[in-house]
Amino acid sequence: MPSTSSSSSHHHHRARLRARAAPLLVVVVFAVLVLTELLRTSTRRDLPPSASRFGSSSPANANHTVAQRKILLDPAFTPRLPRQSPLSLSLSQRNALPPRNVGRFPSLPDDHLKIVLYVHNRPRYLRLVVDSLSRVEGIGEALLIVSHDGYFPEMDKIVQGINFCQVKQIFAPYSPHLFPDAFPGVTPGDCQGKDNAAEKRCQGDPDQYGNHRSPRIVSLKHHWWWMMNTVWDGLEETRDFDGHVLFIEEDHYIFPNAYRNAQLLMDLKPKKCPQCYAINLAPSDVKAKGEGWESLVAEKMGNIGYAFNRTVWRKIHAKAKQFCAFDEYNWDITMWATVYPSFGAPVYSLRGPRRSAAHFGKCGLHQGQGSSNVCVDNGEAAVELEDIDKVPNIKADWPVRIIQRQEGYQAGFKGWGGWGDRRDRELCLSFAYMYHIKDPSSA
């Protein structure tokens, strides 16, 4: 039997050990908690936004995720949007409506395409493109977004009649066509043509050729830029979408194989042409039908049936100042002459050797609206379809032929003008900022 003194010494020894271990245990537990939180935060930060969003159904978390995706371009710039009219406000409310035909097409496949059709006021053209879309294989899998430059009842009615897929309409609420007596429309006191501002006592900044702004002309670039910013960063249906969005216009005839070919090209792009920024449904030369080769083609980005993803949009959006400052009223020429060259390498898009879309308009966007309708042959698109154009005709084992020579507008082209007024440039920049928040740390 141990002695009393020995037992007491042993007891005190254990007490001292416990006394020393207690603070150490607290430190260890605290370190584990800190490390766990750091790992959890790091994991959430490294996940793509879509992945972190699926971790919780909480609206607060979802809003936080969306906020994290907002980009700050210049903390010194404050967006200034025109005061909206009652018509403009009513159209903004329509922009928030959910897509139609959801009951008929209740679920869209994971690899579905979102298609944006941007239009002005050419009803005969619009009927043709809508009819061509109705014949596209797989169109019922798509979400079709129709972006209107202004409000025109007949155009609205045509889109309201679409029943072959989910369809959502958006209207540019700051379109010059909605403001007959104020900027961005015609403002009393504005200079016209080649007016001398000092002599006429009028307002406005002339372009590089001495011409003052024309609301009808500047609406081209304003609509495209507003639409891009709205589709990628403003709409509930698309602002968290990281896939490809396909863009077409009201004078593009879409072939029956366009949807399936687009899906094939999107799948092949990362493998066959990782340096390609986009896919295209047609050659960059709007008059070309394709080469008919047994190969894919990588060439300059075209403006007929082009599709790219959010990564490319972020690169474009980051060049907002260049886009908005360039004295050129065409969005596509602005892109070719300023934005694409600033990327530092040729901007290629991947397409098939045969076109899956065609430009059928004979006139520009704001022409051919008279009673003669001279811009459409007998009310029908003069596009001949062969059997091969009605089915997917792209092969996965084809090589890629790169057309390195970039024809057309290049870096250094000074622009056709029409975009010299500082008000248009500020409105353009405001569109780039309207869905983005300022970073509190930059204040």
Side-chain angles (χ1 to χ4, degrees):
M1 182 174 179
S3 67
T4 303
S5 60
S6 174
S7 175
S8 175
S9 174
H10 184 65
H11 174 74
H12 287 306
H13 178 67
R14 283 187 296 176
R16 284 196 303 271
L17 286 176
R18 282 198 301 268
R20 274 199 297 251
L24 181 61
L25 181 61
V26 170
V27 171
V28 171
V29 170
F30 179 75
V32 169
L33 288 173
V34 170
L35 181 60
T36 301
E37 178 61 23
L38 286 173
L39 288 172
R40 187 165 63 89
T41 304
S42 175
T43 302
R44 185 169 60 240
R45 185 172 61 244
D46 292 338
L47 283 172
S50 57
S52 61
R53 185 172 68 255
F54 295 142
S56 171
S57 59
S58 164
N61 285 351
N63 290 337
H64 181 62
T65 301
V66 171
Q68 286 179 323
R69 305 186 71 164
K70 295 181 183 294
I71 306 298
L72 179 68
L73 295 177
D74 181 359
F77 182 82
T78 300
R80 288 177 290 274
L81 296 171
R83 178 174 300 198
Q84 292 184 256
S85 65
L87 173 58
S88 178
L89 287 169
S90 70
L91 294 175
S92 291
Q93 292 172 350
R94 286 188 64 179
N95 291 351
L97 293 176
R100 295 193 304 276
N101 301 329
V102 174
R104 184 174 296 186
F105 305 96
S107 61
L108 303 179
D110 290 340
D111 64 343
H112 77 279
L113 261 177
K114 297 188 191 296
I115 304 173
V116 177
L117 167 62
Y118 45 108
V119 305
H120 176 58
N121 185 26
R122 294 182 291 181
R124 295 190 73 180
Y125 279 21
L126 181 57
R127 287 191 185 94
L128 290 172
V129 71
V130 167
D131 180 66
S132 72
L133 281 170
S134 72
R135 304 170 192 272
V136 170
E137 180 190 345
I139 193 64
E141 302 174 6
L143 168 63
L144 176 64
I145 300 171
V146 182
S147 181
H148 296 262
D149 181 14
Y151 177 76
F152 304 96
E154 190 173 359
M155 300 291 284
D156 186 17
K157 183 178 179 181
I158 293 170
V159 179
Q160 294 275 343
I162 294 176
N163 60 8
F164 49 78
C165 66
Q166 286 192 22
V167 60
K168 178 183 176 72
Q169 286 175 271
I170 56 175
F171 300 83
Y174 304 102
S175 167
H177 303 285
L178 299 176
F179 295 82
D181 302 311
F183 179 83
V186 177
T187 305
D190 271 3
C191 297
Q192 307 288 327
K194 289 184 178 290
D195 283 349
N196 183 300
E199 292 178 0
K200 290 287 187 77
R201 295 185 178 180
C202 54
Q203 65 175 342
D205 309 296
D207 67 8
Q208 58 188 310
Y209 303 106
N211 298 302
H212 288 275
R213 75 184 297 268
S214 165
R216 182 175 62 92
I217 295 299
V218 297
S219 71
L220 293 166
K221 190 167 174 176
H222 278 315
H223 179 211
W224 188 84
W225 189 239
W226 173 87
M227 173 193 70
M228 282 291 173
N229 280 276
T230 297
V231 166
W232 288 109
D233 295 324
L235 296 183
E236 181 180 348
E237 294 82 4
T238 50
R239 65 188 176 199
D240 285 335
F241 180 69
D242 290 323
H244 283 65
V245 178
L246 175 67
F247 295 91
I248 57 177
E249 292 188 52
E250 64 188 7
D251 58 357
H252 295 169
Y253 190 89
I254 311 303
F255 292 8
N257 64 6
Y259 190 88
R260 298 303 183 206
N261 272 356
Q263 288 180 314
L264 288 169
L265 287 168
M266 287 187 296
D267 287 342
L268 292 172
K269 180 163 69 75
K271 311 166 194 172
K272 297 282 188 174
C273 189
Q275 75 272 29
C276 284
Y277 282 76
I279 67 162
N280 260 102
L281 295 180
S284 60
D285 179 355
V286 298
K287 298 179 181 178
K289 297 182 179 180
E291 303 81 1
W293 298 330
E294 291 283 305
S295 67
L296 299 170
V297 181
E299 66 160 356
K300 169 187 174 181
M301 178 93 87
N303 59 5
I304 299 178
Y306 53 96
F308 53 81
N309 60 20
R310 184 173 299 277
T311 301
V312 174
W313 165 244
R314 283 286 169 249
K315 289 182 68 69
I316 295 172
H317 186 258
K319 304 296 181 179
K321 287 186 177 180
Q322 291 92 320
F323 182 89
C324 293
F326 188 60
D327 189 8
E328 167 61 57
Y329 69 92
N330 290 288
W331 68 265
D332 47 0
I333 298 176
T334 301
M335 295 293 291
W336 286 324
T338 63
V339 176
Y340 295 150
S342 72
F343 289 170
V347 175
Y348 292 115
S349 64
L350 187 67
R351 63 171 173 86
R354 295 179 62 90
R355 62 183 181 176
S356 291
H359 178 271
F360 63 76
K362 287 185 177 180
C363 300
L365 189 58
H366 300 301
Q367 298 171 289
Q369 297 174 25
S371 57
S372 61
N373 291 298
V374 295
C375 292
V376 181
D377 293 329
N378 301 318
E380 297 182 2
V383 178
E384 295 182 3
L385 288 181
E386 300 180 26
D387 288 341
I388 193 174
D389 300 319
K390 299 176 182 179
V391 295
N393 55 15
I394 289 174
K395 302 284 178 62
D397 59 350
W398 280 348
V400 178
R401 187 175 300 195
I402 299 176
I403 300 178
Q404 295 184 344
R405 184 177 179 182
Q406 305 263 332
E407 301 289 349
Y409 298 99
Q410 306 287 326
F413 175 65
K414 65 179 183 178
W416 293 113
W419 196 262
D421 199 298
R422 71 190 70 184
R423 292 171 296 175
D424 288 313
R425 299 182 179 195
E426 288 179 357
L427 179 59
C428 178
L429 265 182
S430 293
F431 288 161
Y433 285 78
M434 61 186 172
Y435 300 115
H436 298 277
I437 57 174
K438 286 186 177 293
D439 183 354
S441 64
S442 67

